[in-house]
Amino acid sequence: MTERGIHIRTCPLCEAMCGLEVHHDGAAVTLIRGNRADVWSRGYICPKGTTLGHLHHDPDRVRVPLVRNGAGTFAEASWEAAFERCGELIEAVRAEHEIEAMTVYFGNPVAHNYSISRYLGLLSELAGLTIYSAGTVDQWPKNVVAELLYGHAWRIPVPDIEHTDFMVVQGANPHTSQGSLMSHADVPGALDAVRQRGRVVVIDPRRTGTVGSEEEWLPIRPGTDALLQLAVVHVLFAEDLVRLGHLEDRLAGIEKVRRIAADFPPERVAGTCGTSAAAIRGLARDFAAAERAVWYGRIGTCTQEFGTLASWLPDVICALTANLDAVGGLMWPKPVAWSPVLQNWGGSRGFGRWSSRVRGAPEVLGQVPMSCLAEEIDTPGPGQVKSLLVVAGNPVLSAPDSGRLDAALPLLDCMISVDNAVNETSRHAHVILPGLSALEQPHCDDLLWTWATRSVAKWSPALFPPADDRPEEWEILTRLAFMFAGTPAESTDLAAFDDLYFSAWAEMGGVDPAVALAAAPSPGPERLIDLTIRTGPWGDRYGENPGGLTLERVKQAPNGIDMGAIVPRIDEVVLHAGGKVDLAPEHITSDVDRLAERLERTDESLVLVSRRHLRSNNSWMHNVPVLVSGKDRCTLLIHPDDAAAAGVADGAPATVRSSNGEIEVPVEVSDEMMPGVVSLPHGWGHDRPGTRQSVARQRPGVNSNLLAPPDFVDVPSGNAALNGIPVEVAPAG
Ligand SMILES: Nc1nc2c(c(=O)[nH]1)N[C@H]1C(S)=C(S)[C@@H](COP(=O)(O)OP(=O)(O)OC[C@H]3O[C@@H](n4cnc5c(=O)[nH]c(N)nc54)[C@H](O)[C@@H]3O)O[C@H]1N2
Ligand SMILES: Nc1nc2c(c(=O)[nH]1)N[C@H]1C(S)=C(S)[C@@H](COP(=O)(O)OP(=O)(O)OC[C@H]3O[C@@H](n4cnc5c(=O)[nH]c(N)nc54)[C@H](O)[C@@H]3O)O[C@H]1N2
Ligand code: SF4
Ligand SMILES: [Mo]
């Protein structure tokens, strides 16, 4: 593309999936703004979306494979030489160790990348690598709840924010994050519309931007959310507010829920939660009285000590008030294209079928806590991890106890990063294989449509052609999977293999692979998207349903196709016998004793929670100058009373100490924190040697995950408790 023009595409950076107008002149991006004609986002955009040009043009971006040379520095290499080096490294590990020694870590952008998301399954299924992922520092409790209540780990219901008139937002800050496991464009605007129709309640230790007015804010002591929720359930039963409506014959385990909640009246939990019994009772009554109500929890209810219970009870509350599978409540989206994660494919799911070697952490849905990885690498013995593939992740900043991981990675015999940056993690790799920039490849969010509030389809073509020799990431992953699997070079015909892979998907979609293959001969993700659209709910089924959707038709509508709002569909979703939701699975309810013990805990020190900023994206966009300009954002937010008690002053450096470590960070005194709780952002700490992030390095900030203890986890899911960490704050020096 060399002319001047306007290119229409979807922003790949977060779940909001905003439509963009990318203005370009030759090979240069000149301006990016919201696309008002986009059927999904109608012009909405945030500051990050305007920076795809900066990311593309960033001189620090890795464009050529980097191979570590003997002196510990990277040298550019040809793709063939880089793959050859990967082969040597992998073979050396394979020759001496069992498959347990080989692992892969998937980071957050895998869910947003057209080319990676459909192919990463090969690394576990074909290559047999043990998986670690950002999932266990993020939403694993939600997966556990969906698996046990509905029969599938990824069938996670989402709030029908467009039609609800009472929305509880607990431990989420969509004003900043733009929504998560609730894909919706312009969530802040949608919340304003809820306020017009009814009411929003925000339960959060911090008065975030999501809080519209003082009355909306219900401060809560971190980690005590499940207590508050159980008390709400208690009130629903005690005051005869349970209304099952259309769910009458749909719920198993109601009596067990009632019995559990009977022990948690508001008066018993309020003190621990840092709120009043009256506030809890009022909330329960108002929620039950609302015509259409929904209870939404996210990072603050997942990445905490009782993440599974706190992620379970919102669904229970919605079910008990007939707001599950109901307009304006929690519902399951109907994506235009199906995603393999929703099929019964891509790995069996279970609990405790094996345990981690060092800590003995039980596997949950195929993964152990991310925080186990460092000890698995640095603890000698049979099964010690010797090889790590990192795909689009930066665990040296994002994982708990990240200092130990930083120190452990150099011990690996083979570390390969598929990443576009030399950052705190990939600097340790033996080989870095870069993916294309967002503008050099197509984009399609079919994975995120699975959690979207409308059934929309969009396709973005590439804007700029990549250099001739550059493989797409699906090719990189497939080649690496062959190597890890030990497939002899002469039988690694990529195109032939991709035909087989595509055929397996065609069978999943219920069509004759030969017919599907004939319609789409070129290998790669594009034909998989076509297949999943054509065999999706509105698809043409390769001619069986003439006039139905195909990728071609989606391409002809650059502003997107909207098949309507989310609708009830419990019959198609719940996989348990009789289509019944199991409201009280033992794996979840057995954790209630641990929660009850929390009520006995009296040593209330300061506790740390995390926060996000609109102009950050986890750890990886701090090299974009316009996003890091302005005042320092890596600060410790602290309530004035706590600041006075600790003797720390606004703007002055403080020491923050946990059982795991100590950092120094500037203080920002603010009454937006509830007393007793302090907040730090994650994803900073760009001062490590050997990175190539010239802008980020100038404003490095500190890595808050040095403070996060590795064994502070939500027990039923193994998810990290990154919130509610006990800390001491003191003046620095
Ligand atoms: N204390 C604390 N820690 C947290 C959290 C918290 O709230 N508090 N949140 C957690 C959560 S929810 C998450 S999801 C994790 C995120 O943790 P990670 O996924 O480990 O970290 P990211 O910062 O998202 O790193 C993304 C990496 O992907 C690369 N990348 C970006 N786009 C592409 C691409 O298209 N292809 C390739 N190959 N690479 C790409 C970037 O260069 C970067 O290296 O952090 C977790 N850590
Ligand atoms: N701009 C931007 N957008 C992002 C990201 C980003 O880094 N930057 N990251 C993306 C990713 S990977 C994800 S997973 C999503 C996350 O999306 P959200 O869940 O909306 O993310 P957060 O902004 O971390 O909001 C979590 C809130 O929980 C509160 N909290 C902390 N502990 C507790 C607790 O114990 N109880 C309660 N009730 N609240 C608590 C925090 O104060 C915070 O306000 O955002 C995505 N979008
Ligand atoms: S909210 Fe911002 S980052 Fe998210 S998709 Fe929209 S423009 Fe991109
Ligand atoms: Mo995340």
Side-chain angles (χ1 to χ4, degrees):
M1 179 87 50
T2 47
E3 291 114 64
R4 184 189 285 230
I6 299 176
H7 165 80
I8 300 297
R9 77 180 298 113
T10 296
C11 177
L13 297 174
C14 86
E15 288 188 41
M17 302 187 279
C18 299
L20 306 178
E21 276 183 6
V22 182
H23 298 239
H24 56 95
D25 190 351
V29 174
T30 51
L31 169 78
I32 296 183
R33 61 183 184 201
N35 173 16
R36 285 168 188 274
D38 189 285
V39 298
W40 163 262
S41 58
R42 304 193 177 282
Y44 183 78
I45 187 175
C46 89
K48 293 186 296 305
T50 65
T51 65
L52 293 188
H54 293 84
L55 290 172
H56 175 78
H57 297 304
D58 184 351
D60 289 336
R61 175 164 69 89
V62 182
R63 292 165 170 81
V64 177
L66 298 177
V67 174
R68 177 185 298 283
N69 59 30
T73 53
F74 286 111
E76 294 192 349
S78 70
W79 278 94
E80 274 326 300
F83 277 125
E84 204 173 298
R85 180 73 185 129
C86 291
E88 283 167 17
L89 291 162
I90 293 168
E91 258 324 299
V93 175
R94 281 177 44 82
E96 286 199 26
H97 303 277
E98 302 292 318
I99 187 73
E100 287 74 29
M102 305 206 191
T103 58
V104 60
Y105 171 78
F106 296 124
N108 167 274
V110 302
H112 301 270
N113 180 301
Y114 136 97
S115 192
I116 297 177
S117 61
R118 279 163 213 83
Y119 281 82
L120 49 83
L122 293 180
L123 294 161
S124 51
E125 302 308 301
L126 175 68
L129 304 183
T130 303
I131 304 176
Y132 288 86
S133 83
T136 58
V137 288
D138 186 339
Q139 84 297 329
W140 225 237
K142 290 251 193 195
N143 296 113
V144 168
V145 169
E147 174 74 20
L148 296 172
L149 267 64
Y150 314 121
H152 196 295
W154 292 103
R155 298 192 179 189
I156 298 167
V158 307
D160 180 14
I161 190 171
E162 268 188 313
H163 302 107
T164 197
D165 38 45
F166 192 130
M167 184 154 173
V168 175
V169 179
Q170 186 168 19
N173 184 14
H175 213 260
T176 290
S177 68
Q178 307 299 314
S180 178
L181 290 173
M182 173 184 68
S183 286
H184 187 83
D186 189 8
V187 180
L191 284 172
D192 283 341
V194 178
R195 289 180 182 109
Q196 294 290 317
R197 293 192 297 271
R199 203 173 134 200
V200 173
V201 174
V202 182
I203 307 176
D204 198 301
R206 180 171 158 236
R207 193 181 65 234
T208 64
T210 299
V211 178
S213 62
E214 199 64 37
E215 305 78 69
E216 280 183 11
W217 185 32
L218 199 106
I220 189 166
R221 179 103 185 144
T224 65
D225 298 80
L227 289 167
L228 179 143
Q229 295 160 341
L230 263 183
V232 166
V233 174
H234 176 98
V235 175
L236 294 180
F237 281 110
E239 301 190 5
D240 195 20
L241 299 172
V242 172
R243 297 283 176 275
L244 300 183
H246 65 288
L247 299 170
E248 194 71 54
D249 301 318
R250 287 281 183 187
L251 308 174
I254 297 181
E255 185 47 32
K256 188 170 165 195
V257 171
R258 193 192 60 73
R259 272 201 318 273
I260 291 170
D263 290 339
F264 295 88
E267 292 68 21
R268 183 172 175 218
V269 305
T272 304
C273 296
T275 183
S276 71
I280 300 176
R281 283 193 183 272
L283 178 58
R285 289 172 191 152
D286 293 348
F287 192 86
E291 181 82 22
R292 298 168 166 189
V294 72
W295 199 298
Y296 170 62
R298 199 50 196 91
I299 280 292
T301 47
C302 285
T303 57
Q304 58 139 294
E305 201 177 350
F306 300 100
T308 298
L309 291 173
S311 300
W312 165 58
L313 288 158
D315 290 29
V316 170
I317 294 169
C318 287
L320 295 177
T321 53
N323 285 305
L324 177 68
D325 199 45
V327 172
L330 281 181
M331 283 200 282
W332 289 276
K334 186 166 174 172
V336 169
W338 55 268
S339 164
V341 300
L342 280 172
Q343 309 301 108
N344 282 319
W345 183 80
S348 64
R349 305 177 304 268
F351 295 87
R353 293 164 299 175
W354 47 275
S355 296
S356 71
R357 177 179 65 101
V358 178
R359 197 187 304 176
E363 157 267 347
V364 176
L365 300 171
Q367 297 189 30
V368 294
M370 180 49 206
S371 53
C372 292
L373 182 56
E375 68 201 26
E376 294 295 329
I377 296 171
D378 69 19
T379 310
Q384 184 181 7
V385 169
K386 294 289 179 185
S387 154
L388 173 68
L389 171 64
V390 178
V391 183
N394 192 8
V396 165
L397 297 189
S398 60
D401 194 20
S402 52
R404 183 165 177 183
L405 187 64
D406 198 16
L409 293 179
L411 305 175
L412 290 164
D413 292 344
C414 166
M415 178 175 164
I416 300 168
S417 273
V418 179
D419 208 294
N420 305 358
V422 186
N423 59 21
E424 296 71 22
T425 300
S426 62
R427 74 194 167 104
H428 292 300
H430 296 101
V431 183
I432 303 177
L433 303 173
L436 300 170
S437 86
L439 299 177
E440 290 170 325
Q441 59 186 320
H443 178 71
C444 183
D445 277 308
D446 61 339
L447 188 62
L448 298 186
W449 296 341
T450 307
W451 298 288
T453 54
R454 302 190 69 82
S455 300
V456 166
K458 292 199 265 174
W459 170 266
S460 310
L463 169 59
F464 299 128
D468 281 346
D469 63 336
R470 293 208 49 188
E472 292 193 20
E473 277 156 301
W474 69 270
E475 296 178 68
I476 299 175
L477 297 190
T478 309
R479 286 188 68 164
L480 291 173
F482 282 144
M483 292 179 198
F484 284 112
T487 315
E490 58 278 13
S491 51
T492 57
D493 179 341
L494 212 83
F497 175 79
D498 201 71
D499 281 353
L500 289 176
Y501 187 58
F502 177 78
S503 299
W505 281 51
E507 274 168 21
M508 254 192 295
V511 293
D512 181 352
V515 172
L517 269 174
S522 312
E526 193 166 327
R527 64 175 174 180
L528 292 172
I529 294 169
D530 184 41
L531 169 81
T532 52
I533 291 175
R534 297 177 86 163
T535 54
W538 291 277
D540 83 333
R541 300 202 69 83
Y542 293 89
E544 268 174 48
N545 175 24
L549 282 186
T550 62
L551 178 58
E552 198 44 48
R553 272 194 58 198
V554 175
K555 284 183 179 177
Q556 283 161 16
N559 298 316
I561 293 178
D562 185 350
M563 306 306 286
I566 190 168
V567 289
R569 57 189 293 255
I570 195 168
D571 289 334
E572 301 158 54
V573 173
V574 174
L575 294 176
H576 292 319
K580 283 202 175 185
V581 173
D582 183 1
L583 222 46
E586 190 59 27
H587 184 78
I588 295 176
T589 57
S590 61
D591 202 34
V592 170
D593 290 345
R594 193 172 64 96
L595 180 69
E597 283 164 24
R598 173 68 182 82
L599 287 168
E600 312 306 320
R601 203 185 298 164
T602 49
D603 56 328
E604 305 283 1
S605 71
L606 285 177
V607 290
L608 173 69
V609 297
S610 295
R611 70 175 186 270
R612 289 180 155 72
H613 193 280
L614 187 58
R615 291 189 294 141
S616 288
N617 199 9
N618 296 315
S619 76
W620 72 275
M621 291 182 68
H622 294 149
N623 211 48
V624 178
V626 293
L627 293 181
V628 288
S629 59
K631 80 180 198 30
D632 188 0
R633 306 201 298 264
C634 189
T635 57
L636 181 80
L637 280 177
I638 185 168
H639 188 273
D641 295 350
D642 293 328
V648 297
D650 193 61
T655 302
V656 187
R657 191 178 301 119
S658 75
S659 64
N660 207 64
E662 184 180 303
I663 61 174
E664 198 178 299
V665 62
V667 167
E668 194 175 337
V669 177
S670 166
D671 69 2
E672 75 186 47
M673 295 312 300
M674 75 184 274
V677 186
V678 295
S679 159
L680 282 171
H682 74 285
W684 296 88
H686 305 298
D687 54 356
R688 313 304 296 150
T691 63
R692 192 166 102 190
Q693 302 260 282
S694 50
V695 177
R697 174 169 295 284
Q698 288 164 31
R699 312 198 64 175
V702 288
N703 176 4
S704 66
N705 279 322
L706 295 170
L707 300 174
D711 51 357
F712 189 40
V713 298
D714 165 52
V715 173
S717 68
N719 202 89
L722 299 164
N723 290 293
I725 299 167
V727 290
E728 284 165 28
V729 175

